[in-house]
Amino acid sequence: MSTDSPAPRHIPVMLERCLDALAPAISAPGAVVVDATLGLGGHSEALLTRFPDVRLIAVDRDPQALKLSAERLAPFGDRATLVHAVYDEIPRVLDELDVPEVQGVLFDLGVSSMQLDEADRGFAYAQDAPLDMRMDQTRGISAAEVLNTYGHGDLARILKVYGEERFAGRIASAVLREREREPFTNSARLVELVRNAIPAATRRTGGNPAKRTFQALRIEVNGELEVLDRAIPGALDALAVGGRIVVMSYQSLEDRLVKQYLQAGATSTAPPGLPVIPEELQPWLKLLTRGAELATEAEIEENRRAAPVRLRVAERIRRTRR
């Protein structure tokens, strides 16, 4: 994707579904909505266009995404505030902007279209590129550093846990053996190593066998699950009564974490058999999706990246002391 004009070809995932889910909470004048994963700004632009009275606060850890989105959202003036931050920093961002509560929060998790489409970022296993995978290239360790420095146990663990890779031990052994010969720098060599480490019968199904390894490395490099584990509670705390949160996850580890937090808020904490349930023990969230909603065939046809998405929506129904 050209970085000079991203907007025309950038199709936000499940856009209408997200707008419809947030609409009851952010249609009133003075509403504030947080785009926790700004990316190329497709969802943000649509929110500002559809809801002319809304104020947008958008965060992203990727400086290049912020630069491109700032150009895209410039016509909306001071209705849009863009901040360089990771989404677990939303409480701090809101505090610094003197925003005590918000009416909507949108998370579009995973890798942005720009990061996938730029070869030199190293996210895509389908093209040879430097093994970077950092969403913010100004900080942190790269995927190459992980491959070249982690011990067998740590490497096998992240492949098994973050990539749900059955052959994590075999791949880790192959990495340690190969890096003695030459350190890893580019993705094509890793793709070939994974292909050779996995049994031939397994390689025939399930797409590119390197997919799970690349997912695991990306999650490790960016600390995605740890960040998400802090971000969802922080975002929920910021929601006003009647406010809504929309989360799109792209793999089961993310979705499982989101599900746990939303279900916990939607469940009474009263002991069984209590005749009258005090308000502080009643649910403070209402689930607005039955389980995780999947993209329709039409949504997938419009944007292939919607195929794995799991969407969850919840509404805050009462204040809590947390």
Side-chain angles (χ1 to χ4, degrees):
M1 179 182 289
S2 169
T3 57
D4 295 327
S5 55
R9 281 180 281 178
H10 172 50
I11 303 172
V13 174
M14 297 176 74
L15 177 59
E16 289 302 317
R17 195 101 64 101
C18 293
L19 296 177
D20 290 345
L22 289 168
I26 66 172
S27 297
V32 179
V33 63
V34 173
D35 186 343
T37 45
L38 174 63
L40 286 174
H43 288 101
S44 282
E45 182 181 46
L47 285 164
L48 289 163
T49 302
R50 174 80 63 89
F51 306 102
D53 294 320
V54 82
R55 176 188 176 189
L56 172 84
I57 299 170
V59 304
D60 205 290
R61 62 166 63 179
D62 189 332
Q64 188 174 6
L66 284 164
K67 177 178 181 293
L68 294 169
S69 290
E71 298 170 3
R72 181 174 191 165
L73 303 179
F76 298 99
D78 60 6
R79 289 179 58 210
T81 303
L82 277 54
V83 183
H84 182 212
V86 187
Y87 45 65
D88 65 337
E89 298 175 290
I90 286 172
R92 174 187 63 79
V93 170
L94 294 177
D95 185 58
E96 291 177 356
L97 294 172
D98 197 24
V99 177
E101 59 184 19
V102 302
Q103 284 65 46
V105 183
L106 172 66
F107 284 89
D108 183 11
L109 301 173
V111 191
S112 75
S113 299
M114 180 193 71
Q115 291 162 343
L116 280 172
D117 291 339
E118 288 193 340
D120 62 356
R121 303 296 289 270
F123 287 101
Y125 44 80
Q127 50 193 344
D128 192 22
L131 280 165
D132 193 313
M133 298 193 194
R134 289 173 296 168
M135 293 178 180
D136 180 352
Q137 292 183 302
T138 67
R139 65 181 75 175
I141 65 170
S142 69
E145 291 175 89
V146 171
L147 289 168
N148 293 324
T149 63
Y150 277 31
H152 183 278
D154 285 338
L155 197 55
R157 174 185 56 80
I158 68 167
L159 293 176
K160 182 177 181 179
V161 176
Y162 295 160
E164 300 178 289
E165 173 57 70
R166 284 191 296 152
F167 303 102
R170 294 174 62 155
I171 294 171
S173 296
V175 167
L176 265 64
R177 185 171 59 250
E178 281 299 304
R179 79 187 188 191
E180 289 299 315
R181 187 172 63 84
E182 181 183 352
F184 285 90
T185 57
N186 278 52
S187 57
R189 182 176 169 218
L190 177 61
V191 170
E192 185 65 19
L193 177 147
V194 173
R195 187 182 301 277
N196 292 335
I198 290 177
T202 304
R203 295 200 303 262
R204 299 191 191 104
T205 59
N208 194 312
K211 178 180 179 179
R212 293 179 293 277
T213 294
F214 273 64
Q215 173 180 298
L217 288 170
R218 190 200 80 213
I219 290 173
E220 173 69 10
V221 165
N222 296 289
E224 290 179 41
L225 293 178
E226 292 90 344
V227 170
L228 185 62
D229 198 19
R230 296 187 295 268
I232 298 299
L236 290 171
D237 280 345
L239 271 187
V241 174
R244 292 186 172 193
I245 184 170
V246 176
V247 186
M248 287 182 287
S249 306
Y250 292 79
Q251 38 95 353
S252 60
L253 299 173
E254 292 173 340
D255 183 58
R256 193 176 305 140
L257 198 54
V258 174
K259 174 185 176 182
Q260 288 170 353
Y261 278 113
L262 298 188
Q263 285 193 337
T267 302
S268 170
T269 56
L274 204 64
V276 178
I277 300 177
E279 183 181 358
E280 64 268 19
L281 301 182
Q282 293 176 10
W284 55 277
L285 283 180
K286 179 182 179 181
L287 303 182
L288 300 179
T289 48
R290 295 188 63 181
E293 291 188 357
L294 307 179
T296 64
E297 289 184 9
E299 286 166 332
I300 295 171
E301 187 174 343
E302 182 183 37
N303 186 348
R304 295 298 304 171
R305 287 174 183 161
V309 77
R310 299 169 174 90
L311 181 141
R312 295 181 186 270
V313 185
E315 178 178 324
R316 186 169 200 143
I317 56 175
R318 70 172 180 88
R319 298 190 185 279
T320 55
R321 293 180 182 179
R322 304 187 68 217

